[in-house]
Amino acid sequence: MSAFVEIKFDNSDDRFPTGKPELILRRTIGMKKDEYSLDRKNATKSDVMNLLESAGFSRSNPYYIVPQGRVTALTNMKDGERLNLLKEVAGTQVYEARRTESLKIMYETNNKRDKIDELLAYIKERLTELEEEKEELRDYQDKDKERRCLQYTIDHREQQAISAELDNLDEQRQTGVDDTDDNSERFLEGEKYLAEIEAQISQQKQQAELLKVDKRQFDDERKEKAKSKAKIELEVKGLMDGQSAAQQAKSHYVSELAKVEKSITEHEKELTKILPEYQKEMQQEASTRSELDDAEGIRQRLYAKQGRNAQFRNKKERDDWLRKAINDSYPDLAKVKAVRVQTAEDIAQLESDIATTEAEISEFREQLDSRGESGDAMQRQVQEAKALREKLMDERKELWREDAKLDSVMQTAQSELRRAEIELSQTMDQNTSRGLAAVREIKRQHDLEGCYGTLAELMEVSDKFRRAVEVTAGQSLFHYVVDNDNTASKVIEILQKKKTGRITFVPLNRVRPKPANVPKASDAIPMIEKIQFDPMYEKAFQQVFGQTIICPSLTIAGQYARSHSVNGVTMDGDRSDRRGAFTGGSLDTRSSRLEAMRKVSKWRDECDSYKARSIEIKRDLERKDQEITQAVGNLQKLEQTKVKQESSYGPLRQELRSKESSLNNKRDTLEKKQRAKASIEANLKSLTDQQDAHEAEVASEFKKALTRDEETQLENLSSTIQDLRRQLSDLTSTRSELESRKTILEIELRENLRPRLDQLKSQDLDNRSSGPQGNLKQSQQELKRINKSVDEVSNKLQETDSSIDAANASISDLQQRHAEIMSSQSEIAKSIEKAQKRMEKSIQKRRILTKQAAEVTTRIRDLGILPHGALEKYEKTKSDQIVKRLHKVNEALKKYGHVNKKAFEQYNNFTNQRDTLEKRRSELTEGQASIEELITVLDQRKDEAIERTFKQVSREFANVFEKLVPAGRGRLVIQRKADRDMGTAEDEDSDEQKRESVENYTGVGISVSFNSRHDDQQRIQQLSGGQKSLCALALVFAIQACDPAPFYLFDEIDANLDAQYRTAVAGMLHSIAERSSEQGGGQFICTTFRPEMLLVAEKCYGVTYMGNKSSKVVVVGREEAMRFVEGEKQ
């Protein structure tokens, strides 16, 4: 809850030194604050007061703001209070403050001068006493000089003896240090060699363990192979035992097969011989039959012609009958031709079917004949599939073996990695260790490409400079390098959420390494040149190592640090900072951060490579499992195909028999069709010849008898027909005999011999595929394969045993060397321990001597400044004589036990104090005179200011009163002590008379006359209330005229005035407001409930009540303001 008041000043005339055309002043008051602001900016109260002072608002003139009651207070003010008001307006407070301060200083000066006088009296008395003590001190000093010379001689000789002893110890120590350094270097080399041997032993043991694992696996595999071998051998033996019976059956089969094949050959040979003769006889028979048919046809037509000649009377009847016969023969001829075409088509179809059937039978026979080859091929495919399966399973076993080895190696690597990480974590604080582990995990989870690693991981440095680099970098070795600050912020945010340690990041985009002033000298090697790193990280490495050089000694490093402002470090790790600090000492060389980081990186890389290889092996195993599954599936498919193939030969033979039977039927049908075709051809020829004969007869003449030629032909045809019938009968008999023999041979071949041959071949194939011979061959191949596998496993087992023996021998050699080196290390450690004990004794002795030397040095230093020639004076004197003389001098000095050893010093001090105090007293006296003179001047200026202010105010009061009351007269009257005693008041002119001081003033009175300028004036106490208020206003206007302000604020100053005086006051305000600022004009802000001021006001404001406990200031017109005022009156 707060409230504020704000005033806006017009600064167009630059009255306020702000440089702006407007100034806003605000004061805010709340429950717990009271603040000021200038132009919306916070300011102190003193700033506001000073700004108002600079603009003409005088702090000594509070009457540019006249609140309610101020006029009444002035009216009721007493003469003395009015005088104080006048002094305040005149600014005498400053003079009074300075006068009071001067009097205080003068009082303090008098006190100081009195104290100085007391001290001077004491010092004079003390100087008299010290004059006597000085003489006694001189005798004491002579004796003491002699004592110090003697004591210095004794102490100097002791110091030289101690220095010689220390030099001897240093020489012995340096020799011992060199020996110790040699032994330490030998010990460190031995430790390094031991670590290498231990690593080799660990590697050999690991190799031996892996070989033992291989041996166990090979033993198991050999046992498994041996079992399989024994099983196969039993099967082979059983198969070989059953092979003799199979041989007997096979010999019987061979003889039977030969007999059948011989019979088939003989029958086929005989059939081949008969078939040409049979075909020839068939052709001759057909030819003879055709000639016989032709002759009989001709003879029959001649008989028919002979009969028709007797049947018909004329040619026309004959021709009609012939033409009818010809026409009737056409349908018969068409039918015969159609039958001939159909028969030809049937023959062609039968020939095609026979050819197809013969091809099918040939294919079936080839399948049956190739059954052995296809079975062998299928058997080979099955064997190849089994070999592929065994090969894949062997490869899977190798992968299993390699995976087992890799698991063992990876466990060892992980163990070494944990040991290396523990060793590395011991070189840093726990938060950093946890932070690095967390950053690696964050980088892996979020796949952050911009996280590169720590400085230690990103660098390579030789062992020679490793210690220097570690000392230079310190904890910076574990600062994490990233590409930019966004990556660092992201990782830091995740670290803070998880609360997993702290880490320092080095964003490359923010690193700005300063250029180094590296000396170019052979004994100053820039460290950055001895570190190998990727150029993209150069900024980070320049930031840490760019200001450091490697020097051969700490002295040289210190010189370069001072001359070139760089950090110098030695190979041993001693460091000279460019600020001048030296650090160094003994370092444990066995504990190296870079070496620990190198080990961690090495084992981490190995673990990562092992993990990658393990994943690859597991993928290979998955692929091998898939390949084995596929190979097993193929093998099963082949075996099923083989079984299916073997089971399909029975139906094939049945199909072959069916095809052969169908072929024979088709051949018989073909033969019948061919015979029918020959008959049809003969019939067709007969019909054609008959038709041709009828047509020829139609064309011939009609005769009752045959012609001579026809009769002759008829007679010849009878004998020819008889001959042809006789020939046909002979041919038919011969053809029948040949046909009978052919049929017997074909039936024998078809029904007996060929089925028997097929049966024997099928039986042979069945015996070969399912008999003991095929199984024996497979078993022998499997036995051969297992023998080869057993030999391979045995060879591998022998190689493994040899490798194990070699590894054990190597381990024994390494352990023997390790024991020898351990013995040597033990001897070196004992030598180092003895040297350290000697060193400790030497150090203790040196410590004692150093302490004695320090005591002697302290005694010599306590002797103070010695007389000239103190050492040479007793240089040749023996030590015992010096001791005796020193004893005598000490005895003589005992009587000076009460002497004041500081007499000379005290005398000089007191003398100096006396001179200082006298000088100070003179200064105080001069200062007092100056202060008295200042007080006089201040009193004079104060009186002048009061007199001047009174005159100005009095003159302005008379002028203002005259303007307000034209018929009257008013003045201010000064009251003095003398006037009070006399009880009279003097007029203003009498004020010019000389007075002793303004201190005689007792008050300021007001004397006025409202009716006449010449009547007796009345004192303000004698006036009415309205007249008193008018006098008070006249005094306010007079004060304002003496000290004008930029604006004035009057609150109902006309409340107690009569109408004529309100009019006069309004006119006064208007006239003053019309003046320029140089003439004392200003702005008036007045509150009133009277109409007179409204008539002269430039602008009127009204306060309106809003109804919500708040009010608002608004601009109103003069008429509205007048109406409001008149309404208030009513």
Side-chain angles (χ1 to χ4, degrees):
M1 183 176 181
S2 62
F4 69 89
V5 177
E6 185 175 273
I7 303 175
K8 293 184 179 179
F9 294 98
D10 182 9
N11 193 33
S12 57
D13 57 353
D14 292 329
R15 181 181 294 273
F16 294 98
T18 60
K20 297 180 181 179
E22 189 179 69
L23 176 69
I24 300 175
L25 172 62
R26 173 183 284 200
R27 182 179 183 184
T28 304
I29 300 175
M31 298 294 291
K32 295 183 180 180
K33 65 178 180 179
D34 186 0
E35 298 175 343
Y36 292 88
S37 65
L38 294 170
D39 288 335
R40 311 300 181 189
K41 296 179 181 179
N42 290 335
T44 61
K45 184 177 181 180
S46 60
D47 294 338
V48 175
M49 296 302 293
N50 293 333
L51 185 65
L52 294 175
E53 287 275 356
S54 66
F57 296 96
S58 175
R59 204 180 305 182
S60 60
N61 181 9
Y63 287 97
Y64 55 84
I65 298 176
V66 181
Q68 291 183 6
R70 180 65 61 85
V71 176
T72 304
L74 283 173
T75 302
N76 299 327
M77 191 175 287
K78 297 180 181 180
D79 293 345
E81 294 174 349
R82 208 172 285 118
L83 177 61
N84 292 332
L85 174 62
L86 205 61
K87 290 181 179 180
E88 183 179 356
V89 173
T92 58
Q93 292 179 349
V94 178
Y95 295 109
E96 290 292 339
R98 294 187 64 184
R99 188 175 188 279
T100 302
E101 184 179 357
S102 299
L103 290 173
K104 181 179 178 181
I105 293 172
M106 189 168 63
Y107 176 75
E108 292 176 354
T109 302
N110 289 331
N111 290 336
K112 290 178 181 178
R113 190 166 56 184
D114 292 340
K115 290 181 180 179
I116 289 172
D117 290 339
E118 292 178 1
L119 287 173
L120 286 173
Y122 171 75
I123 288 171
K124 289 179 181 179
E125 182 180 355
R126 183 61 180 151
L127 287 174
T128 304
E129 295 175 356
L130 290 174
E131 284 290 344
E132 298 175 356
E133 293 177 357
K134 281 167 60 179
E135 295 299 328
E136 186 177 4
L137 182 58
R138 287 191 183 93
D139 296 337
Y140 171 76
Q141 287 178 346
D142 293 338
K143 296 291 184 182
D144 187 61
K145 287 179 181 178
E146 185 177 2
R147 179 192 67 79
R148 286 190 288 119
C149 289
L150 293 169
Q151 187 66 45
Y152 174 76
T153 302
I154 295 172
D155 292 341
H156 181 67
R157 291 179 180 178
E158 185 178 357
Q159 188 181 39
Q160 287 180 339
I162 292 173
S163 299
E165 187 67 21
L166 286 173
D167 292 340
N168 186 24
L169 287 175
D170 288 338
E171 184 177 356
Q172 294 177 0
R173 177 179 174 275
Q174 186 61 40
T175 304
V177 167
D178 294 339
D179 295 339
T180 303
D181 290 342
D182 294 339
N183 289 332
S184 298
E185 291 179 1
R186 288 170 55 202
F187 186 79
L188 291 176
E189 291 178 358
E191 289 290 324
K192 187 175 181 181
Y193 191 41
L194 280 175
E196 293 177 356
I197 291 177
E198 289 174 354
Q200 293 177 4
I201 291 173
S202 176
Q203 184 178 1
Q204 291 295 329
K205 286 183 178 179
Q206 181 180 354
Q207 186 67 25
E209 290 296 326
L210 294 177
L211 291 172
K212 289 178 181 178
V213 171
D214 290 344
K215 182 179 179 180
R216 286 195 296 271
Q217 292 177 350
F218 287 141
D219 282 336
D220 295 339
E221 187 174 356
R222 185 180 64 177
K223 291 177 182 178
E224 183 180 352
K225 298 289 184 183
K227 291 179 181 178
S228 300
K229 180 180 178 181
K231 183 178 179 182
I232 296 297
E233 286 177 346
L234 289 174
E235 291 180 0
V236 170
K237 184 178 179 182
L239 291 172
M240 290 180 70
D241 292 340
Q243 191 174 10
S244 58
Q247 290 291 337
Q248 294 176 1
K250 186 174 182 182
S251 61
H252 176 72
Y253 158 78
V254 170
S255 62
E256 185 70 20
L257 181 64
K259 185 187 296 183
V260 172
E261 287 179 347
K262 182 179 179 182
S263 298
I264 289 173
T265 304
E266 291 175 352
H267 282 71
E268 287 178 347
K269 185 176 179 182
E270 185 179 358
L271 184 63
T272 303
K273 183 179 178 182
I274 290 173
L275 281 175
E277 295 178 359
Y278 174 75
Q279 294 294 335
K280 182 179 177 182
E281 293 294 329
M282 284 287 291
Q283 291 176 0
Q284 289 178 358
E285 182 183 2
S287 177
T288 303
R289 189 179 295 279
S290 177
E291 290 178 358
L292 179 61
D293 290 338
D294 290 341
E296 287 180 349
I298 293 171
R299 188 179 69 172
Q300 186 179 359
R301 285 191 296 272
L302 288 173
Y303 284 143
K305 182 177 178 182
Q306 185 178 6
R308 284 192 299 273
N309 288 332
Q311 182 182 356
F312 301 107
R313 292 187 299 274
N314 53 33
K315 182 180 180 181
K316 181 176 180 303
E317 290 179 357
R318 185 199 69 176
D319 291 344
D320 291 338
W321 184 87
L322 289 172
R323 288 190 181 94
K324 182 181 179 184
I326 291 171
N327 292 330
D328 291 340
S329 66
Y330 279 125
D332 296 336
L333 187 61
K335 289 180 181 178
V336 172
K337 287 182 178 180
V339 172
R340 185 186 66 174
V341 171
Q342 181 64 41
T343 304
E345 291 178 357
D346 291 342
I347 290 171
Q349 182 65 39
L350 284 171
E351 288 176 349
S352 176
D353 292 343
I354 288 170
T356 303
T357 304
E358 287 177 348
E360 291 176 354
I361 290 171
S362 177
E363 183 179 354
F364 287 154
R365 288 190 178 280
E366 287 178 359
Q367 291 182 6
L368 287 174
D369 293 339
S370 64
R371 179 183 175 187
E373 296 178 359
S374 61
D376 293 339
M378 182 58 65
Q379 185 64 31
R380 285 195 299 272
Q381 291 181 7
V382 171
Q383 292 298 327
E384 290 174 357
K386 288 183 178 180
L388 178 61
R389 181 192 63 183
E390 295 298 328
K391 178 184 176 183
L392 292 174
M393 292 180 72
D394 291 339
E395 291 177 355
R396 184 172 65 178
K397 289 178 181 179
E398 289 294 331
L399 289 174
W400 283 343
R401 191 176 296 114
E402 186 177 358
D403 191 28
K405 289 182 183 178
L406 197 60
D407 287 340
S408 177
V409 173
M410 191 157 57
Q411 288 177 1
T412 304
Q414 288 174 349
S415 176
E416 292 294 335
L417 176 59
R418 286 192 295 271
R419 187 180 299 109
E421 287 177 345
I422 292 172
E423 182 180 348
L424 178 62
S425 64
Q426 292 174 352
T427 63
M428 66 180 83
D429 59 278
Q430 187 178 3
N431 281 332
T432 303
S433 177
R434 291 170 56 234
L436 288 175
V439 170
R440 284 194 296 272
E441 184 66 20
I442 291 169
K443 177 183 177 182
R444 185 186 63 80
Q445 290 179 354
H446 298 270
D447 193 20
L448 297 178
E449 298 293 337
C451 293
Y452 301 127
T454 61
L455 288 176
E457 293 173 333
L458 300 176
M459 75 166 77
E460 289 290 338
V461 63
S462 64
D463 294 341
K464 181 179 180 182
F465 302 102
R466 187 176 64 194
R467 188 183 301 180
V469 170
E470 288 183 2
V471 170
T472 300
Q475 289 296 327
S476 298
L477 284 173
F478 306 116
H479 289 180
Y480 208 92
V481 180
V482 295
D483 54 354
N484 53 49
D485 46 0
N486 292 330
T487 303
S489 301
K490 184 176 180 180
V491 178
I492 289 172
E493 183 179 355
I494 298 173
L495 285 174
Q496 290 176 348
K497 286 182 180 178
K498 295 183 177 181
K499 296 181 180 180
T500 52
R502 297 175 65 245
I503 201 73
T504 302
F505 289 94
V506 183
L508 294 176
N509 65 326
R510 292 289 186 180
V511 177
R512 300 289 186 274
K514 296 180 180 178
N517 183 21
V518 178
K520 296 180 180 180
S522 59
D523 55 354
I525 304 172
M527 181 172 286
I528 197 73
E529 295 179 359
K530 299 301 178 183
I531 302 174
Q532 289 80 39
F533 54 87
D534 194 307
M536 69 179 295
Y537 312 129
E538 183 174 0
K539 289 183 179 180
F541 283 95
Q542 285 286 354
Q543 181 77 13
V544 178
F545 303 104
Q547 302 284 338
T548 304
I549 58 175
I550 302 174
C551 300
S553 66
L554 190 60
T555 304
I556 298 174
Q559 292 175 356
Y560 282 124
R562 290 188 296 272
S563 61
H564 289 75
S565 187
V566 294
N567 299 323
V569 63
T570 65
M571 305 287 281
D572 295 330
D574 297 330
R575 187 168 181 266
S576 174
D577 194 85
R578 56 185 171 181
R579 297 182 180 87
F582 287 88
T583 57
S586 177
L587 295 174
D588 186 4
T589 56
R590 293 174 295 179
S591 176
S592 170
R593 292 177 174 177
L594 286 175
E595 182 66 19
M597 182 62 76
R598 186 188 65 78
K599 288 181 180 179
V600 169
S601 300
K602 171 192 170 185
W603 289 113
R604 186 176 293 129
D605 292 341
E606 289 193 10
C607 286
D608 292 340
S609 64
Y610 291 151
K611 288 179 181 177
R613 178 57 184 160
S614 177
I615 293 172
E616 183 179 355
I617 289 174
K618 285 179 172 56
R619 290 175 181 169
D620 292 342
L621 282 171
E622 291 177 359
R623 283 197 297 270
K624 287 299 175 187
D625 289 338
Q626 294 174 359
E627 292 176 0
I628 290 172
T629 303
Q630 185 178 1
V632 171
N634 293 334
L635 177 60
Q636 291 175 353
K637 288 180 182 178
L638 290 172
E639 289 177 345
Q640 291 175 0
T641 304
K642 179 183 176 183
V643 172
K644 190 182 294 183
Q645 184 179 11
E646 291 175 352
S647 62
S648 67
Y649 287 120
L652 185 63
R653 286 193 294 270
Q654 186 67 31
E655 184 69 19
L656 178 60
R657 295 191 188 98
S658 175
K659 290 290 182 181
E660 288 177 345
S661 176
S662 175
L663 178 63
N664 293 327
N665 294 331
K666 287 177 180 179
R667 283 175 177 173
D668 294 339
T669 304
L670 178 63
E671 187 175 355
K672 292 177 181 180
K673 288 287 184 181
Q674 287 175 347
R675 292 175 181 173
K677 181 180 178 183
S679 176
I680 292 169
E681 290 286 346
N683 191 15
L684 179 62
K685 184 177 179 183
S686 175
L687 288 174
T688 304
D689 292 342
Q690 182 71 32
Q691 190 177 21
D692 292 340
H694 286 168
E695 289 177 353
E697 187 176 356
V698 170
S700 65
E701 293 179 359
F702 179 75
K703 292 180 177 182
K704 290 293 187 175
L706 297 173
T707 63
R708 187 178 298 274
D709 294 334
E710 290 176 346
E711 289 178 354
T712 303
Q713 184 181 5
L714 185 61
E715 292 175 356
N716 294 332
L717 285 173
S718 296
S719 61
T720 302
I721 289 170
Q722 291 177 358
D723 293 336
L724 289 173
R725 283 179 178 173
R726 191 170 45 253
Q727 291 177 6
L728 180 62
S729 176
D730 295 336
L731 290 172
T732 301
S733 176
T734 304
R735 192 260 310 162
S736 298
E737 292 177 359
L738 291 173
E739 185 177 4
S740 175
R741 182 59 181 167
K742 180 177 78 70
T743 303
I744 292 170
L745 291 173
E746 287 177 351
I747 291 172
E748 183 70 19
L749 285 172
R750 183 172 62 247
E751 300 295 336
N752 186 14
L753 295 177
R754 283 201 177 98
R756 178 59 178 164
L757 179 63
D758 292 339
Q759 182 182 2
L760 290 173
K761 287 184 177 180
S762 176
Q763 182 179 356
D764 178 51
L765 291 174
D766 292 338
N767 291 333
R768 278 167 40 182
S769 61
S770 61
Q773 182 64 29
N775 293 333
L776 178 62
K777 187 176 180 180
Q778 295 177 13
S779 299
Q780 287 176 344
Q781 291 178 354
E782 183 69 17
L783 181 61
K784 183 178 179 181
R785 186 187 63 80
I786 290 179
N787 286 329
K788 183 178 179 182
S789 178
V790 169
D791 293 338
E792 290 177 355
V793 173
S794 299
N795 292 332
K796 290 181 180 179
L797 191 59
Q798 290 177 0
E799 292 175 0
T800 304
D801 289 334
S802 301
S803 300
I804 291 173
D805 294 338
N808 291 329
S810 178
I811 291 171
S812 299
D813 294 338
L814 289 172
Q815 287 177 345
Q816 185 177 358
R817 277 193 290 169
H818 186 274
E820 293 174 356
I821 295 172
M822 284 293 292
S823 177
S824 176
Q825 289 291 96
S826 177
E827 294 296 330
I828 295 173
K830 289 179 181 179
S831 300
I832 293 174
E833 185 178 0
K834 291 178 180 179
Q836 288 178 348
K837 289 181 179 180
R838 289 196 301 270
M839 191 73 69
E840 289 175 359
K841 291 180 180 179
S842 177
I843 290 172
Q844 291 178 357
K845 187 174 181 180
R846 178 181 174 81
R847 189 180 298 115
I848 294 170
L849 291 174
T850 303
K851 183 178 180 181
Q852 292 177 356
E855 291 174 356
V856 172
T857 303
T858 302
R859 290 201 302 269
I860 293 174
R861 187 170 55 250
D862 292 340
L863 293 176
I865 300 174
L866 298 174
H868 180 68
L871 183 59
E872 292 81 1
K873 184 176 181 181
Y874 301 104
E875 185 176 1
K876 297 182 180 180
T877 308
K878 294 181 179 180
S879 297
D880 55 352
Q881 294 179 358
I882 293 175
V883 172
K884 291 179 181 179
R885 188 161 185 178
L886 178 62
H887 179 70
K888 291 180 181 179
V889 173
N890 286 333
E891 290 295 330
L893 284 172
K894 288 182 180 179
K895 66 179 181 178
Y896 296 100
H898 62 282
V899 69
N900 185 5
K901 298 178 181 179
K902 297 183 179 180
F904 290 110
E905 182 180 355
Q906 291 176 355
Y907 184 83
N908 292 331
N909 288 338
F910 279 114
T911 303
N912 293 332
Q913 288 181 11
R914 181 190 62 188
D915 297 340
T916 302
L917 290 172
E918 288 178 351
K919 182 179 179 181
R920 179 62 179 158
R921 191 177 187 284
S922 302
E923 291 175 354
L924 290 174
T925 302
E926 294 174 358
Q928 183 178 5
S930 300
I931 293 171
E932 290 174 353
E933 182 179 357
L934 175 62
I935 291 173
T936 303
V937 172
L938 290 175
D939 289 341
Q940 181 180 357
R941 290 181 179 177
K942 182 183 71 172
D943 295 343
E944 291 174 355
I946 294 173
E947 291 287 347
R948 183 173 59 255
T949 302
F950 176 74
K951 289 178 181 180
Q952 290 177 356
V953 174
S954 178
R955 182 174 62 254
E956 294 297 331
F957 179 80
N959 294 334
V960 170
F961 191 82
E962 184 177 353
K963 291 178 181 179
L964 294 176
V965 187
R969 177 171 176 252
R971 60 174 182 157
L972 296 179
V973 180
I974 195 75
Q975 300 289 337
R976 300 183 180 87
K977 294 180 180 179
D979 295 337
R980 186 174 58 190
D981 295 338
M982 294 172 58
T984 61
E986 301 294 337
D987 56 14
E988 185 178 356
D989 295 335
S990 64
D991 294 336
E992 298 176 357
Q993 298 176 1
K994 299 291 182 181
R995 299 291 181 184
E996 290 181 3
S997 174
V998 179
E999 293 296 329
N1000 291 325
Y1001 293 169
T1002 60
V1004 174
I1006 299 176
S1007 178
V1008 296
S1009 174
F1010 283 87
N1011 299 323
S1012 173
R1013 293 177 179 272
H1014 304 290
D1015 292 343
D1016 293 337
Q1017 295 182 348
Q1018 296 176 326
R1019 305 298 291 272
I1020 192 170
Q1021 291 84 359
Q1022 300 171 350
L1023 302 176
S1024 64
Q1027 292 174 339
K1028 287 181 180 180
S1029 297
L1030 185 63
C1031 292
L1033 286 174
L1035 181 59
V1036 169
F1037 288 137
I1039 293 172
Q1040 291 175 351
C1042 294
D1043 189 7
F1047 75 89
Y1048 303 95
L1049 182 61
F1050 291 164
D1051 188 9
E1052 297 187 36
I1053 61 174
D1054 56 352
N1056 298 325
L1057 297 180
D1058 297 336
Q1060 60 176 346
Y1061 297 136
R1062 291 199 297 271
T1063 302
V1065 170
M1068 173 69 71
L1069 294 177
H1070 184 267
S1071 63
I1072 295 174
E1074 292 296 326
R1075 299 176 190 169
S1076 63
S1077 59
E1078 290 80 5
Q1079 296 176 352
Q1083 181 182 13
F1084 287 90
I1085 301 173
C1086 304
T1087 62
T1088 182
F1089 288 96
R1090 306 298 182 184
E1092 287 79 10
M1093 284 191 182
L1094 298 178
L1095 296 174
V1096 299
E1098 292 182 357
K1099 189 174 291 187
C1100 299
Y1101 297 88
V1103 180
T1104 303
Y1105 182 67
M1106 302 298 295
N1108 56 352
K1109 296 184 181 181
S1110 63
S1111 57
K1112 184 179 181 181
V1113 179
V1114 295
V1115 179
V1116 298
R1118 182 179 283 109
E1119 291 78 8
E1120 184 179 356
M1122 291 295 289
R1123 287 195 300 269
F1124 176 77
V1125 172
E1126 292 298 330
E1128 288 293 323
K1129 285 183 179 181
Q1130 294 175 2

